[in-house]
Amino acid sequence: MKVAKVTLLAVLAALVAVGVATTAYSFHSGGVAECGGCHSMHSPAAGGTFLLVGTDQSSACLTCHEHAGDTGPASYHISTAPGDMPAGTAPLQRTPGGDFGWLKKDYTFVVRGTTINEDGDTHGHNIIAADFGYAVDGVNAAAPGGTFPSAQLACNSCHDPHGKYRRLVGGTVATTGAPIKASGSYTAATNEPDGTGAVGVYRLLAGAGYTKDGITFTGVPAAKVPSSYNRTEAATQTRVAYGVATTGGHNAWGTWCGTCHTGMHSSGNYVHPIDQGVGSSIATIYGQYVKSGDMTGVAASSFSSLTPFSTNSSDYTVLAGLAQNNDSQLGGPATSDQVNCMSCHRAHASGWEFGLRWNMEGEFMTYNSLFPGTDTTPTVPQFARGRLGAETQAAYYDRPVTKFASYQRVLCNKCHAQD
Amino acid sequence: MRDAIAKYLVLALATGLFLTPFPAQAGAEVNSTFLYSLANFHGKVPYSDVRVRVDRSRGEVYVVDRGIVRVFNENGMEFFWFGDNPELESIYDLAVDEKGDLFLLSFDLSHPEDPKYYLIQCNYRGDVKAKRKLTNLPAEFSRFFPNYMYYRDGRFLFLSSAKMQVVVTDRDGAFRKGYDLAEILEIPGKDRPNTEIFGFNLDAEGNMLFTVPVLFRAYVVSQEGKTVASFGKAGSAPGMFGVVSGIAKDDQGNYLVVERLRSVVMVFDKEFRFQREFGYRGDKPANLIRPNEVAVGNAGKLYVTQVRNKGVSVFSVTND
């Protein structure tokens, strides 16, 4: 009889719970989301895999992360629907990783009598999402500097869709242990592990032992980002605070990217150094550099989200303090802070070739105090590269042209000041 | 004996709990039939995620895609297009008034740091008659930037789906009324950045219908700003809400709600009881691939947008 009463209460409680479930959900919350959000037990995509709701893994992600009808940066959207970026307009999202919509932006222009085609494929990581018009990289058969097959590239190549990697109270990262209570990406105290639970690793990134198509990650990199991260930088910058953590299941940022782009990492390869301290000379230049021809800056206000760096700290509370979107933390690098892949590239895609944060295909980023464009600077098509001036500005996250010199040279100079 | 009664009660409640995700079906039977996809003389127009508007008084269908407006007749054949005139800016939405004048919601994104939008009045050919900005916006709507537009009885309704704000203006774009739907739904400030509307429409009475996917819920809000009703439960069984999007109310009083994850349109009766659903992911003509928006036409027609170049599918939805 007692058992029956207890069971009755439990059933009643469950019924009530079903009836009043009106709480808002953030879906991932740092770990595995609701299974039904990505998988369908009885009506999965025909011809798909893993009972996913999309034709492929990335299509399942974009079911939520792309929304037609956007007019600007919106929440967790990381891709602009084609209908929202007609010819002559840029993709709309402004996440630090960049809008995958740039992959669909092909540009054709003529320089000195030669027609040049800039394929959208060159603008970033070509995830394959058939439902949303994203196809395999038409140029690279494998990851540059590595062997990962382009034909397998998807969101889950870099992100663990089940979000099993968690940061425990002691600071180590593991796939088991305390339950994940929240995202570990953001800056609030609740986004740190405590006695009640662990937090997810930054952006559900792949951690040690995560294997895809012949490559295996060996750790996750550390970072924090403001909770409002998908936003225009017309007025203030969005600072992602990249960290340097190499123990307890962590990897430095360059090492993490080098999992697929092995030959691009400076360890054993004659390429631009990464995961190394910038040193005193570079740190000084970074602090002084304002724009071409202007070295009057001060280190305390020298940060640019077009040239971010890794703060030499594995302390997530330190990183949380730096991750701001109100220009309250614009300090430049200390000598031990590091250059990483993200210092020059965006992780998803950008408005420029190779996913770079600025246009490297010409000497000038601005021309005659204008953003280059077929409308604004028609006499120098090599700088406009088939874009309108507004598209160029959008690729710089809407910064006003006054943030740059009248003839701004490329941002390699932020560290090297050769201009 | 008392033990036996308790056991039967437990069994009955457990059965009830199991059946809860499958709401009871009641009322007249709803039928749905795939009719055709919007087409031109080259065949099906391979649209992905577009905006569809129906001028029911003239039987014409407007599709806005990448700044171009294509006009289809009642049989789904394209017969006209416009949008290449720079005066029209980048067209994002469209409404038609009683006289047949077209009103465009257009964006000027030439200065990304300061985007602008306009209400552009055109004749039926898309020739500009007037270009207006919204005026007299109160301070709380000073940063309002709409992405949906509707016309009803001499007034325009503009929606910012990301901010969950609605502005109602007169024909000249002068502010008349505003709604903060997030406030009406009492959404906490901390949740607002990730809470947005995926589907919106007006019913015949002028009520605002909309879906909020992260709440797994559809809402009906009156012109007085009161929540008249809300419905929906999270889940993946028929009639349940996964990622809900477009919503509309048809002439029979059915509420039609798009469920993206299962690629279906769900039909609820006027009492919000689940009736049936149709579509399902697949490549057959009657299937859908991640549907998004719906628009109601004449004679029970329902226009459904989707991705993967599957075009705009037209169904007949009727009550027996």
Side-chain angles (χ1 to χ4, degrees):
Chain A
M1 180 63 189
K2 190 175 179 182
V3 172
K5 276 184 180 173
V6 170
T7 311
L8 177 60
L9 280 172
V11 171
L12 283 170
L15 277 172
V16 171
V18 167
V20 298
T22 57
T23 310
Y25 297 94
S26 51
F27 195 64
H28 294 291
S29 296
V32 68
E34 293 168 62
C35 305
C38 304
H39 304 276
S40 176
M41 299 307 103
H42 305 118
S43 55
T49 55
F50 304 112
L51 296 177
L52 285 167
V53 296
T55 296
D56 46 54
Q57 286 90 340
S58 299
S59 293
C61 302
L62 292 178
T63 299
C64 294
H65 287 283
E66 178 183 298
H67 177 60
D70 283 345
T71 59
S75 195
Y76 46 84
H77 304 171
I78 47 91
S79 171
T80 299
D84 297 332
M85 50 176 194
T89 63
L92 298 167
Q93 309 308 322
R94 302 284 189 269
T95 65
D99 190 323
F100 282 109
W102 286 110
L103 299 173
K104 296 178 180 174
K105 286 289 181 182
D106 301 328
Y107 296 102
T108 300
F109 51 100
V110 178
V111 177
R112 299 184 188 96
T114 301
T115 299
I116 298 173
N117 296 305
E118 183 182 310
D119 196 321
D121 282 9
T122 64
H123 294 157
H125 279 108
N126 285 267
I127 54 163
I128 298 160
D131 291 353
F132 294 87
Y134 290 107
V136 65
D137 189 329
V139 178
N140 300 297
T147 59
F148 185 89
S150 299
Q152 300 299 324
L153 186 64
C155 303
N156 69 334
S157 300
C158 302
H159 302 273
D160 172 14
H162 296 127
K164 287 185 288 190
Y165 293 90
R166 68 202 71 192
R167 191 154 49 86
L168 304 167
V169 170
T172 58
V173 172
T175 55
T176 58
I180 297 170
K181 62 168 187 165
S183 168
S185 300
Y186 305 119
T187 58
T190 52
N191 300 112
E192 282 299 294
D194 57 24
T196 67
V199 296
V201 299
Y202 185 69
R203 292 299 187 224
L204 307 181
L205 290 175
Y210 187 87
T211 298
K212 285 287 171 203
D213 295 287
I215 61 100
T216 301
F217 289 86
T218 56
V220 292
K224 284 281 190 179
V225 65
S227 57
S228 180
Y229 56 88
N230 187 10
R231 55 188 289 281
T232 178
E233 297 189 38
T236 59
Q237 302 186 80
T238 304
R239 180 170 185 175
V240 177
Y242 300 103
V244 180
T246 56
T247 60
H250 287 93
N251 258 344
W253 275 94
T255 304
W256 188 83
C257 298
T259 307
C260 289
H261 301 285
T262 315
M264 298 288 189
H265 197 282
S266 53
S267 176
N269 296 302
Y270 185 47
V271 294
H272 188 287
I274 49 172
D275 296 343
Q276 296 180 25
V278 297
S280 60
S281 297
I282 300 294
T284 300
I285 292 170
Y286 191 109
Q288 295 175 338
Y289 189 95
V290 178
K291 50 193 174 185
S292 294
D294 184 349
M295 296 294 288
T296 63
V298 293
S301 58
S302 63
F303 175 82
S304 170
S305 63
L306 291 177
T307 52
F309 53 86
S310 292
T311 297
N312 187 26
S313 175
S314 59
D315 186 337
Y316 280 86
T317 57
V318 169
L319 300 179
L322 294 172
Q324 304 292 331
N325 61 15
N326 57 7
D327 281 0
S328 63
Q329 291 290 341
L330 295 181
T335 56
S336 61
D337 291 343
Q338 298 184 357
V339 59
N340 68 45
C341 305
M342 247 62 79
S343 298
C344 306
H345 301 272
R346 293 196 186 275
H348 291 166
S350 81
W352 308 110
E353 287 196 297
F354 316 114
L356 284 164
R357 290 175 185 263
W358 64 88
N359 178 19
M360 279 287 286
E361 300 304 308
E363 60 268 38
F364 293 121
M365 293 170 56
T366 61
Y367 192 84
N368 192 25
S369 298
L370 296 166
F371 283 115
T374 53
D375 54 342
T376 53
T377 61
T379 59
V380 284
Q382 68 271 34
F383 306 134
R385 298 186 66 79
R387 296 154 172 80
L388 294 177
E391 289 179 277
T392 300
Q393 184 176 5
Y396 295 126
Y397 283 34
D398 315 321
R399 285 169 168 76
V401 73
T402 52
K403 291 288 184 185
F404 301 101
S406 52
Y407 290 87
Q408 176 67 48
R409 303 276 172 161
V410 297
L411 288 181
C412 302
N413 292 295
K414 177 67 173 168
C415 291
H416 300 288
Q418 300 298 311
D419 57 339
Chain B
M1 179 63 183
R2 289 175 65 190
D3 277 6
I5 291 171
K7 281 178 185 170
Y8 283 122
L9 188 53
V10 168
L11 186 62
L13 284 169
T15 304
L17 176 61
F18 177 74
L19 292 176
T20 298
F22 305 91
Q25 300 186 15
E29 185 178 348
V30 178
N31 294 307
S32 65
T33 308
F34 172 77
L35 299 176
Y36 50 80
S37 299
L38 295 185
N40 56 26
F41 287 107
H42 301 287
K44 179 177 76 177
V45 181
Y47 283 129
S48 279
D49 264 350
V50 291
R51 184 70 49 83
V52 176
R53 297 295 181 219
V54 183
D55 176 8
R56 296 186 64 176
S57 60
R58 293 164 194 80
E60 294 173 349
V61 179
Y62 295 82
V63 177
V64 184
D65 181 34
R66 304 175 211 208
I68 299 295
V69 178
R70 295 183 187 277
V71 193
F72 299 79
N73 65 21
E74 202 148 13
N75 296 315
M77 283 297 290
E78 179 185 344
F79 65 91
F80 189 69
W81 72 270
F82 66 92
D84 56 342
N85 178 357
E87 278 188 276
L88 298 173
E89 308 287 353
S90 285
I91 305 168
Y92 267 65
D93 206 347
L94 177 149
V96 188
D97 73 1
E98 300 87 348
K99 297 175 183 173
D101 267 4
L102 308 180
F103 291 84
L104 310 175
L105 172 62
S106 286
F107 298 163
D108 173 4
L109 302 175
S110 59
H111 298 282
E113 81 283 8
D114 184 25
K116 293 180 170 60
Y117 61 92
Y118 297 97
L119 173 63
I120 300 177
Q121 183 176 358
C122 304
N123 65 14
Y124 67 97
R125 292 179 182 276
D127 300 326
V128 177
K129 296 172 75 171
K131 187 173 181 178
R132 302 182 178 94
K133 290 183 174 179
L134 301 198
T135 57
N136 303 332
L137 290 174
E140 60 267 33
F141 292 97
S142 60
R143 299 179 69 182
F144 181 72
F145 201 99
N147 56 335
Y148 290 79
M149 176 178 69
Y150 301 83
Y151 175 82
R152 185 69 56 82
D153 300 330
R155 300 217 162 175
F156 291 103
L157 183 147
F158 297 90
L159 165 74
S160 166
S161 62
K163 300 290 184 190
M164 297 184 69
Q165 288 183 322
V166 169
V167 162
V168 179
T169 74
D170 64 17
R171 288 179 59 92
D172 294 325
F175 179 87
R176 285 289 175 268
K177 194 168 187 177
Y179 304 89
D180 184 337
L181 296 176
E183 191 172 296
I184 291 171
L185 300 189
E186 299 179 354
I187 294 169
K190 68 179 177 61
D191 292 333
R192 288 197 176 197
N194 288 328
T195 307
E196 59 185 322
I197 290 170
F198 266 19
F200 188 95
N201 231 315
L202 298 176
D203 68 11
E205 292 77 40
N207 294 316
M208 294 176 277
L209 319 176
F210 57 95
T211 59
V212 183
V214 299
L215 298 176
F216 304 99
R217 205 96 182 130
Y219 297 88
V220 181
V221 171
S222 69
Q223 295 183 59
E224 289 72 42
K226 305 292 183 191
T227 304
V228 176
S230 71
F231 62 101
K233 280 183 183 172
S236 57
M240 307 290 273
F241 285 23
V243 176
V244 284
S245 189
I247 183 171
K249 189 177 182 183
D250 69 13
D251 296 344
Q252 288 85 43
N254 298 315
Y255 292 88
L256 306 148
V257 180
V258 169
E259 158 56 23
R260 284 187 181 182
L261 293 185
R262 288 182 293 108
S263 291
V264 296
V265 176
M266 300 178 289
V267 184
F268 297 84
D269 70 11
K270 57 187 176 185
E271 303 297 330
F272 311 110
R273 293 174 298 202
F274 175 63
Q275 299 299 299
R276 62 163 295 158
E277 60 187 30
F278 60 90
Y280 298 105
R281 175 177 280 272
D283 294 326
K284 293 176 183 173
N287 290 141
L288 297 167
I289 294 182
R290 210 235 50 185
N292 190 33
E293 296 189 0
V294 286
V296 171
N298 293 329
K301 281 182 185 167
L302 184 73
Y303 299 82
V304 185
T305 70
Q306 56 196 316
V307 297
R308 211 176 184 186
N309 300 325
K310 204 165 186 307
V312 175
S313 295
V314 186
F315 293 85
S316 167
V317 181
T318 56
N319 285 14
D320 276 351

